[in-house]
Amino acid sequence: MKLSCAQTGSTSKEHSGFPMSDFVRSLPHYRNMCSYESLEMGCHFISQYRQRLLASEPSLKRHVVRAALQILLYKRKRKSEIQFRRLKIKNSEQLPFKEYAERAFKRLGMEYDVTSNEIEECESLIESHWRAVVGAYTVRLALAPLVEAYILIDRVLYLWEHGISSSLVPVFDPRISPRNMAIVAVKS
């Protein structure tokens, strides 16, 4: 769901982004949905995360570890370097934070100039805030089906606006995958 958003004032109705329908484009606040983060949220689902929550896996700390790394990078005015980059470091939540930071800096091609004081501050933040980050991420995942529904309904409306009868149909059990909806259309 790496959608692009229609540009303000755009007259083109033919684009693969969001929104596609004139109806959604006419809504006063549709632009609030046009950030990468908002649209990307619709790709996730809480069912798998629920299992991790019940198991209390160490991977629950993954997001707060990444946030602590971002603090170190922001202090070095390198926000743009990581803002839209995927930084895949295996088992990051199980590594000592110092080792994770060293690997991340190396992967980003940056000199590792982090003090032991900064590492201690980050470790303290991780331990004191990881539950709040898990809570925020859980709320985010709870909203994901609404975002996906909004995008799918926009597509159905687009088809209707172009004279194509269509509907959303569940094609299998959503517990298998939340991507269980198909847009079925009949062009007369």
Side-chain angles (χ1 to χ4, degrees):
M1 299 270 275
K2 293 187 177 181
L3 300 174
S4 60
C5 289
Q7 300 297 314
T8 304
S10 172
T11 58
S12 171
K13 292 183 181 182
E14 302 295 327
H15 65 87
S16 62
F18 174 82
M20 291 182 73
S21 70
D22 291 334
F23 176 78
V24 172
R25 201 173 289 137
S26 72
L27 296 174
H29 299 292
Y30 90 84
R31 304 255 347 126
N32 294 341
M33 277 290 299
C34 279
S35 70
Y36 170 82
E37 292 79 12
S38 295
L39 294 171
E40 187 261 349
M41 184 170 53
C43 297
H44 300 282
F45 56 105
I46 201 162
S47 305
Q48 288 179 336
Y49 196 66
R50 180 181 180 271
Q51 297 304 320
R52 287 171 48 193
L53 286 169
L54 292 172
S56 295
E57 292 183 15
S59 65
L60 293 174
K61 291 186 178 181
R62 181 175 297 142
H63 299 289
V64 75
V65 169
R66 173 65 187 242
L69 174 67
Q70 286 180 301
I71 289 170
L72 293 177
L73 293 168
Y74 289 171
K75 285 181 179 180
R76 285 151 183 81
K77 307 282 191 255
R78 303 304 283 259
K79 179 179 178 179
S80 61
E81 294 228 5
I82 63 156
Q83 195 166 15
F84 297 108
R85 284 182 69 180
R86 294 197 50 88
L87 185 64
K88 194 92 168 157
I89 297 177
K90 278 192 161 192
N91 303 317
S92 59
E93 65 282 348
Q94 295 174 352
L95 294 173
F97 184 73
K98 183 179 189 291
E99 185 177 338
Y100 170 71
E102 287 171 351
R103 288 184 188 184
F105 273 65
K106 183 178 180 181
R107 183 133 325 145
L108 291 168
M110 296 171 57
E111 178 187 339
Y112 182 76
D113 61 349
V114 181
T115 67
S116 58
N117 222 15
E118 287 176 308
I119 293 295
E120 287 175 22
E121 286 175 19
C122 286
E123 288 171 342
S124 175
L125 283 171
I126 290 167
E127 284 310 309
S128 63
H129 290 26
W130 74 269
R131 284 178 184 82
V133 171
V134 167
Y137 191 72
T138 303
V139 169
R140 184 177 196 264
L141 287 175
L143 296 173
L146 298 174
V147 173
E148 183 179 23
Y150 189 47
I151 292 166
L152 290 171
I153 290 168
D154 171 60
R155 282 163 165 47
V156 168
L157 289 171
Y158 174 83
L159 291 170
W160 285 352
E161 290 168 358
H162 288 82
I164 302 169
S165 177
S166 61
S167 61
L168 289 171
V169 179
V171 290
F172 53 82
D173 187 339
R175 290 175 293 190
I176 296 169
S177 169
R179 306 287 93 72
N180 71 320
M181 300 299 288
I183 298 175
V184 177
V186 178
K187 188 172 183 178
S188 47

